[in-house]
Amino acid sequence: MKQIPRILFVEDVLADAELIWFEIDKNNILYEKKLVDNKKDFLEEIETFCPDIIISDFSLPQFNGMAALQLRNTKAPTVPFILVTGSLNEEVAVECMKAGADDYILKGNLSRLGPAVQNAVNRVRLLKKIKRAEARLKESHDLNEALIKTIPFGMDIVSNDGDILFQNGIFTRLFGEGAIGLKCWELYMDNETQCADCPLKNPIQVGRTDIHVVEGMLGNRIFEVSYTGMMYRGEPALFKIFLDITDRKMAEAELLKAKEKAVESDRLKTAFLNNISHEIRTPMNAIVGFAALLSEPDTDFMTRQSYIDIIMQSSNHLLEIISDIVDISNIDARLVKVVEKEGNLKAILKMLYDQFLQITTEKNLKMLVEYGLSDQDMLIRTDVTKLTQILNNLVSNAIKFTSEGYIKIGVRPKDDFLEFHVSDTGIGIDKEHHGRIFDRFYQIQESTSRVYEGTGLGLSISKANVELLGGTIWLDSELGKGTSFFFTIPYRKQIEMVRMKRDTAVSEDQIFTVKKRILVVEDIESNFKLIKYFLSRSNVEILKAVNGKEALDLCLSDKNIDIVLMDIKMPVMDGFTAVRLIRKAKITVPIIAQTAYSDDRDSAIAVGCNGFISKPFDKKSLLRIISEYI
């Protein structure tokens, strides 16, 4: 719908104005009008009425057409201006036209007014269309400029010859200010390979819908580059978008590595489970088989004793396997804690020597110990249990893989650390396996062709314990020439001389001189029977409770109990709760915690237990800890 033009008339004689309006009406021109006859009103209507056309008389009492024209030039320069006058000489008319008037008409010849106004109306409409087009063009330009600035990709435009003609801000940040004027392939490290699929190899097809995608290495980043043909400044050009996919490629590479690791881990776990199954079944087979043979009526005492020895050896082997599995599970769950206490390195190394001497003697191996410190410097503070376990694992490993020569254990100071070594003259380890020898579930031999028994978890557990103690572990080995494992722990000397506590001398036939009342808190009947059997010849009276609640009631009602053997994991009320309530009742009877969980030791002492014994335990160990407290 066309907008009705607004015409501002400048005329002081109403009759003349009406003649002008009549002439315009004759030409069927619709319009809105305002009439003024002075400068003040003229300026006001230019601001408020916003005329599309101005028709002005040349001569007014205090105002004239030339003054109005000059004001138009200042206030509304694009509004058509038509002079209508009664008389106007040619010189003045030329001056008005030079000043910017669009036309002038004599009042005696108003027939020209209609066409002049129509031309002005057409011109106004054309100017408005141009303004709207310019506004849309500017809006589009502003939008494009905003998009180019904010688009999260590098973008450039390349000529048919490969010259970079345009680049956005992201592109500049990626490749620098100096890219303009370069050939596009000069940005690539290997331009022959990287540009193999570039459309510049063929004439650019403007408007083609397919997009070429290549990957290129620019600087130290990887980009996915999309191309499409377009016209730029009248010439075919290439529009390119650079998507930085470096992080994506790195993530994909990491994902691929993780997948390969997961597949390898799954394979190793399967091999590990097969190995564990074999390792558990082997001692179990011996235990079950020889336990059945014990009941044979014709078996003599010596044969029966040999069967018992085999059952005990197999039981210890099975316990070692279960301990390894529990240890690795606790390490994975981060349940292992470091418990520092005073220790004597000389005593630890001597104990290991005594422990393995019989095995090495049977294999015709020499067992050597190197003490690299004085007796005084051997007194340290560390987690003695973990240190002993690390050395025990390494020595066991060395003996397992050595058939002749020697096993050597040693320690020496190294800066603020102690460096331990366990060396052997065994089969050695090929260098290709050095990097993974401490990995979880990793074994050099395949489970189906293994000559040497074991879970294969010892080195992994040792590495975890060394790191828990604040040290590092490594090896030096060559296939066929033996192996040396080294590890360090922080060297913390004892502040004071601590006299080593000797074990209480206890025999398996110990009998208390005065009858003792012992409360055994145990919910597993077989465990209770075993403890009762261990104490059957020791002059004791056994009281039984199957949960913490019964134990609490007995302690509250019976003041003559000499000692309590308290299981921890029980129904109704656990051992920790029972001990807390017993101590809350001011009952001071000695309480020994008994549990299969070694990590319960600190918690047991914290709630009020006097001592701790780990399951499984033998008769001698049980009598020893009872003798310490009664």
Side-chain angles (χ1 to χ4, degrees), residues 15 21 90 140 242 275 291 324 370 391 422 463 531 539 544:
W21 297 339
E90 187 174 338
S140 177
F242 294 80
N275 179 36
D324 280 352
E370 293 181 343
L391 290 167
V422 176
K463 180 176 184 292
I531 294 172
N539 192 25
K544 179 182 179 182

Side-chain angles (χ1 to χ4, degrees), residues 63 109 272 434 462 469 517 544:
F63 194 43
N109 187 19
F272 168 76
H434 287 195
S462 297
L469 295 179
R517 288 166 59 82
K544 179 182 179 182

Side-chain angles (χ1 to χ4, degrees), residues 437-477:
I437 196 69
F438 297 105
D439 286 358
R440 195 71 46 83
F441 308 126
Y442 185 76
Q443 289 177 300
I444 295 172
Q445 294 178 311
E446 292 294 331
S447 60
T448 56
S449 60
R450 293 172 66 248
V451 177
Y452 303 97
E453 63 180 18
T455 63
L457 291 174
L459 291 178
S460 181
I461 293 170
S462 297
K463 180 176 184 292
N465 281 332
V466 167
E467 290 174 351
L468 278 170
L469 295 179
T472 55
I473 187 169
W474 69 96
L475 78 154
D476 182 13
S477 182

Side-chain angles (χ1 to χ4, degrees), residues 261-276:
K261 189 174 181 180
V263 171
E264 175 68 4
S265 177
D266 188 58
R267 186 187 70 78
L268 293 175
K269 284 180 182 179
T270 301
F272 168 76
L273 290 173
N274 291 336
N275 179 36
I276 285 294

Side-chain angles (χ1 to χ4, degrees), residues 500-534:
M500 297 301 292
K501 179 181 178 181
R502 293 186 178 182
D503 289 339
T504 305
V506 175
S507 71
E508 293 190 2
D509 298 323
Q510 178 170 345
I511 299 174
F512 295 106
T513 55
V514 178
K515 192 168 189 175
K516 302 298 181 182
R517 288 166 59 82
I518 298 178
L519 172 59
V520 178
V521 189
E522 176 63 66
D523 62 321
I524 305 298
E525 182 64 21
S526 59
N527 289 342
F528 173 76
K529 287 181 178 180
L530 182 63
I531 294 172
K532 186 176 180 181
Y533 175 76
F534 284 164

